[in-house]
Amino acid sequence: MAKTVKKFETEVQQLLDLVIHSLYSNKEIFLRELISNASDAIDKIKFESHSNMELLEGNADWKIKLHADKEAGTLTITDNGIGMSMDEVADNIGTIAKSGTKNFVAALKEQNLADNPELIGQFGVGFYASFMVADKVVLTTRRAGEKQYGCRWESTGDGSYSIEECEKETRGTEIVLHLKDDMKEFLDEWKIRSIVKKYSDYVQYPIVMDITRSEPVKDAEGKVIEGGGTIDKTTEETLNSMKAIWTRPKSEITEEEYEEFYKHISHDYDKPLSTIHYSAEGVSEFKAIVYIPSHKPFDLFLRDHKKGVHLYVKRVYITDNCEALLPDYLRFIKGVVDSSDLPLNVSREILQEDVQIKRIQKSLVGKVLSTLAEMKEKNLDDYLKFYGEFGPVLKEGIHFDYANKEKLQDLLLFESSKTEKGKFVSLKEYVERMPEGQKEIYFITGMSRESVENSPYMEALRKKDYEVLYMTDPVDEWVVQAIHEYQEKHLKAIDRGDLELDTEEEKKEKEAKKEEAKKEFGGVMEYIQETLKDRVKEVRLSSRLTESACCLVADEMGLNANMEKILKAMNQEVPEGKRILELNPEHQIMQVMTAMFEKDKTNPKLADYSELLFDQALLTEGSPIKDPLRFTRLVSELMVAGGK
């Protein structure tokens, strides 16, 4: 058959332009694609040879060979796979709609065969990546069993290609890329090695290349001959490891192998805290080995932090930063996911946002959370170590992952008024030890245990012997916005809104006392309200204070002092708002100010005392006061007056 020149179909030419100019973000992807196609071809003949051994033609030494010729400027990729006939070449490379791999899989499905070989991608698409780096591509192939002739296909990617019969002694495919002048780096040994290591290290067939090294001349006994010079020696080296640890049964993998693989993919020299190795079957099939590290990386909270799960499709590397595989609050997880049926679009580099990805994510998240729950239950020391490193990150999931909210709630730990420093309580444990009269789960947010432990908001709860959760991570302010209740117990911030701590009988008794106090202190409270009207929303008597004179309280849904600090630290605009000044009716200052007010309503000391109360409330919650110099002067004057 004479050489025939044909035009690419319109959609093929459009795809070529897309591939060459914009589809792939880095050019080195071309080699991954061609190696994957070669792996497919070997998969096919291995499968077909089960029913027809003659197809092997006496050669079952599977390999994919690379050859770089710097003088000619060519890179050659050769395989001993199934090969193609003339018609298959025309169909698979001349069109997009027809694909050798796609049709092969479809045929196997029609035959309902159980042990289909795992095939990668679509030949017709991956092959076009060659034109990103080559200005001419020559493909020579012969199908297994058709020894009479092979086929040669050639194109410069300009819209046409030639095809002709040719002689080829061995089955399989050879692709020669005539590299563009600015792509000659892909002929360097180190570059080829790095690409194979990165993308195709776990392909199950050896990827080999002839490597030439200069060696000193040796005698018959293998000793170096002094002054004998050097001689070039060429040996065939395998570039990939082929050791996809995740494909092996767990029973065959040692702890040392798991640790070695973790260090390889994470670049962390410490042992992982926990290893999760499992296979998912059914609607979505994939294998995974993921690790929970023993410590957080330095860039965990940086915006450009890369997630640590590597995505493979049938052992072929896709990306080390697949954001769709794990939610952001599990970004510390390291490992590998290898999918058998993940659909990819025309570029293996760009994943489709489809149901398969979501299924993998759902399964993976469920497995990680169940592992953490088991660790918390059976090995608390390990869980506390994990929580100390990654607790604040895990808490982010409460706000963003509604589907797993209940599981995440049970993983949370907090220090509390009933725990020693450094000891924790879970929400479940808190509820289990709530006294009979307690209705809500009480918590306080702040910057440290010391600041919340000594807070005036704690006084009434301490008197009632009610446990209060100390939420001292900045993220806790967002966590409690998402957890409104746990086991039908409402979560209540003790520095917001009203506190209802009393029984009905106690409430009636306190209401009666409060009414009497309002009558007694009503005048001075109105005066304080008027004096501080620009800074407080309201002045009222407190039911939460037993020792301190005053405190500032936010509305039920308002911003407390801690939230304002966090927003300012994040350079966020803090909305203007006033809080409520609560006064302790049993504190002596109320009698003192009332007596002063009744004696002389124009006494300037009343305004000073009102300012001091407000500043005192700010200081006890850890907020800055407006005029520190004036505050210290007033305190000094009081000290002098008290000493006379």
Side-chain angles (χ1 to χ4, degrees):
M1 178 179 174
K3 180 185 291 189
T4 303
V5 178
K6 296 184 179 182
K7 292 281 187 183
F8 282 115
E9 292 189 4
T10 305
E11 70 274 15
V12 176
Q13 187 57 47
Q14 291 172 345
L15 179 69
L16 266 174
D17 293 337
L18 185 65
V19 167
I20 294 169
H21 297 112
S22 61
L23 184 59
Y24 293 96
S25 61
N26 55 60
K27 305 294 186 184
E28 63 188 26
I29 297 293
F30 83 93
L31 189 55
R32 180 192 74 181
E33 297 293 311
L34 296 180
I35 289 173
S36 297
N37 291 335
S39 175
D40 284 354
I42 296 174
D43 277 340
K44 290 177 185 178
I45 192 167
K46 281 182 68 178
F47 186 78
E48 290 195 7
S49 66
H50 291 321
S51 55
N52 184 2
M53 288 293 292
E54 292 183 4
L55 293 175
L56 295 178
E57 301 176 9
N59 178 9
D61 181 20
W62 315 115
K63 70 170 68 173
I64 300 163
K65 186 155 188 172
L66 310 179
H67 176 68
D69 187 333
K70 290 191 175 183
E71 289 186 11
T74 60
L75 178 64
T76 303
I77 299 93
T78 306
D79 69 70
N80 57 351
I82 192 73
M84 290 181 286
S85 66
M86 177 85 71
D87 290 340
E88 285 173 329
V89 171
D91 283 349
N92 294 340
I93 301 181
T95 68
I96 291 296
K98 295 181 181 178
S99 164
T101 300
K102 187 176 180 181
N103 290 341
F104 183 72
V105 172
L108 291 177
K109 285 181 178 178
E110 285 178 12
Q111 296 173 48
N112 212 14
L113 297 175
D115 58 337
N116 294 351
E118 294 188 341
L119 305 173
I120 306 166
Q122 299 183 346
F123 180 88
V125 173
F127 174 76
Y128 293 128
S130 306
F131 289 100
M132 291 191 298
V133 297
D135 50 23
K136 179 182 176 183
V137 178
V138 179
L139 176 146
T140 306
T141 185
R142 175 170 74 75
R143 202 180 203 288
E146 299 180 2
K147 297 182 180 180
Q148 59 273 33
Y149 60 83
C151 169
R152 180 178 290 111
W153 179 98
E154 186 175 321
S155 177
T156 56
D158 59 355
S160 64
Y161 62 90
S162 66
I163 189 169
E164 62 180 322
E165 289 182 359
C166 68
E167 291 185 2
K168 189 174 187 301
E169 290 186 10
T170 57
R171 66 159 197 276
T173 301
E174 176 189 270
I175 300 171
V176 180
L177 307 181
H178 295 259
L179 298 182
K180 299 173 183 177
D181 289 339
D182 58 346
M183 295 294 165
K184 296 296 173 64
E185 64 174 318
F186 294 113
L187 297 175
D188 293 336
E189 179 193 330
W190 72 267
K191 185 68 173 178
I192 294 171
R193 283 183 181 274
S194 67
I195 295 173
V196 171
K197 187 71 177 175
K198 180 177 181 180
Y199 295 103
S200 307
D201 194 43
Y202 302 118
V203 169
Q204 62 182 315
Y205 307 112
I207 302 167
V208 303
M209 188 164 124
D210 288 338
I211 304 296
T212 300
R213 296 278 188 269
S214 293
E215 294 184 356
V217 176
K218 298 177 182 178
D219 59 24
E221 296 179 359
K223 295 180 180 179
V224 175
I225 300 173
E226 291 187 17
T230 60
I231 186 172
D232 287 344
K233 186 176 181 181
T234 300
T235 56
E236 185 178 86
E237 290 188 18
T238 300
L239 307 183
N240 61 323
S241 70
M242 298 177 284
K243 295 178 181 178
I245 185 175
W246 59 85
T247 64
R248 293 160 53 192
K250 284 190 279 188
S251 58
E252 296 180 5
I253 305 173
T254 65
E255 197 65 34
E256 289 73 21
E257 287 177 305
Y258 277 127
E259 288 175 13
E260 183 184 345
F261 184 63
Y262 169 72
K263 292 174 182 178
H264 169 69
I265 61 170
S266 68
H267 308 295
D268 181 4
Y269 293 100
D270 291 332
K271 294 180 181 180
L273 189 63
S274 181
T275 301
I276 305 170
H277 183 186
Y278 79 112
S279 299
E281 297 178 351
V283 179
S284 180
E285 295 188 3
F286 66 91
K287 295 178 173 67
I289 295 182
V290 294
Y291 299 89
I292 299 171
S294 56
H295 59 86
K296 58 178 174 281
F298 73 92
D299 61 346
L300 183 63
F301 293 100
L302 299 181
R303 184 172 295 181
D304 57 352
H305 170 77
K306 280 190 174 184
K307 295 179 183 175
V309 175
H310 297 215
L311 177 64
Y312 285 75
V313 174
K314 302 176 183 72
R315 300 189 180 200
V316 174
Y317 172 84
I318 304 299
T319 178
D320 63 356
N321 193 30
C322 183
E323 296 185 1
L325 275 180
L326 280 176
D328 207 44
Y329 71 89
L330 293 178
R331 59 186 177 274
F332 53 84
I333 295 292
K334 305 292 183 183
V336 164
V337 172
D338 189 352
S339 173
S340 297
D341 53 5
L342 185 66
L344 306 173
N345 64 9
V346 290
S347 165
R348 289 194 183 95
E349 195 179 32
I350 305 169
L351 293 175
Q352 290 179 351
E353 287 292 332
D354 70 355
V355 69
Q356 293 288 4
I357 284 281
K358 297 186 186 305
R359 282 176 182 150
I360 292 175
Q361 187 199 70
K362 182 178 179 181
S363 176
L364 205 55
V365 171
K367 192 68 175 177
V368 171
L369 295 185
S370 65
T371 299
L372 289 173
E374 185 179 0
M375 186 190 298
K376 178 172 170 284
E377 186 72 25
K378 297 180 178 179
N379 196 338
L380 186 58
D381 287 343
D382 275 358
Y383 187 75
L384 290 175
K385 185 176 180 181
F386 158 79
Y387 201 77
E389 295 288 329
F390 302 107
V393 186
L394 189 71
K395 289 176 183 177
E396 295 173 14
I398 295 286
H399 199 78
F400 296 106
D401 189 355
Y402 185 79
N404 290 296
K405 182 178 171 182
E406 290 186 9
K407 293 178 182 177
L408 286 164
Q409 285 177 174
D410 285 328
L411 293 173
L412 300 182
L413 296 175
F414 304 98
E415 289 190 58
S416 83
S417 56
K418 297 280 187 175
T419 67
E420 298 174 16
K421 187 173 182 179
K423 303 292 184 180
F424 298 90
V425 61
S426 67
L427 291 173
K428 183 181 178 183
E429 290 167 332
Y430 180 102
V431 171
E432 286 174 350
R433 62 196 195 197
M434 281 172 61
E436 190 175 340
Q438 186 177 340
K439 301 172 184 176
E440 298 176 302
I441 298 172
Y442 297 109
F443 70 90
I444 181 171
T445 58
M447 305 305 287
S448 67
R449 179 186 176 108
E450 289 73 20
S451 65
V452 296
E453 197 167 32
N454 300 315
S455 168
Y457 305 114
M458 291 287 298
E459 292 173 3
L461 290 117
R462 192 179 291 119
K463 188 175 181 180
K464 279 279 187 181
D465 199 31
Y466 286 168
E467 185 171 14
V468 180
L469 297 175
Y470 297 157
M471 299 190 175
T472 54
D473 282 331
V475 72
D476 288 337
E477 288 286 357
W478 284 271
V479 169
V480 293
Q481 291 177 27
I483 307 179
H484 302 295
E485 63 176 40
Y486 179 82
Q487 292 187 7
E488 300 182 351
K489 299 290 184 182
H490 180 69
L491 267 72
K492 171 65 179 171
I494 66 172
D495 60 349
R496 290 185 179 98
D498 290 317
L499 278 182
E500 296 183 7
L501 305 175
D502 303 314
T503 63
E504 288 300 319
E505 197 171 308
E506 290 172 328
K507 197 182 294 182
K508 287 178 183 178
E509 185 181 336
K510 283 194 174 181
E511 283 298 323
K513 284 185 178 180
K514 191 177 282 189
E515 288 302 316
E516 289 179 18
K518 283 180 181 177
K519 291 176 185 177
E520 183 181 355
F521 306 128
V524 75
M525 287 175 64
E526 287 180 12
Y527 178 87
I528 296 170
Q529 171 82 58
E530 180 61 26
T531 305
L532 302 175
K533 63 182 180 181
D534 294 333
R535 280 170 281 180
V536 300
K537 179 180 180 181
E538 178 189 350
V539 175
R540 71 187 183 194
L541 295 174
S542 178
S543 59
R544 74 187 81 214
L545 297 175
T546 62
E547 300 169 15
S548 301
C550 58
C551 67
L552 285 167
V553 178
D555 285 329
E556 193 68 45
M557 302 305 292
L559 291 182
N560 65 359
N562 189 57
M563 190 63 169
E564 287 184 0
K565 289 177 200 167
I566 292 169
L567 292 175
K568 286 176 182 176
M570 296 168 62
N571 294 320
Q572 297 284 325
E573 187 175 337
V574 179
E576 286 188 18
K578 300 175 184 177
R579 280 177 284 148
I580 299 161
L581 179 64
E582 287 195 352
L583 303 173
N584 182 358
E586 298 182 6
H587 198 281
Q588 195 174 354
I589 189 65
M590 295 302 294
Q591 280 83 20
V592 171
M593 290 187 70
T594 299
M596 290 171 62
F597 179 76
E598 290 176 350
K599 184 177 180 180
D600 181 6
K601 294 180 176 59
T602 62
N603 187 342
K605 288 291 182 186
L606 284 168
D608 289 344
Y609 279 31
S610 299
E611 295 280 354
L612 280 171
L613 283 172
F614 181 71
D615 286 348
Q616 181 182 328
L618 287 173
L619 288 173
T620 54
E621 71 177 16
S623 297
I625 56 179
K626 186 177 180 180
D627 191 346
L629 289 176
R630 184 172 185 274
F631 176 80
T632 54
R633 179 176 59 80
L634 290 173
V635 171
S636 298
E637 289 175 3
L638 280 173
M639 291 171 70
V640 171
K644 289 180 179 179

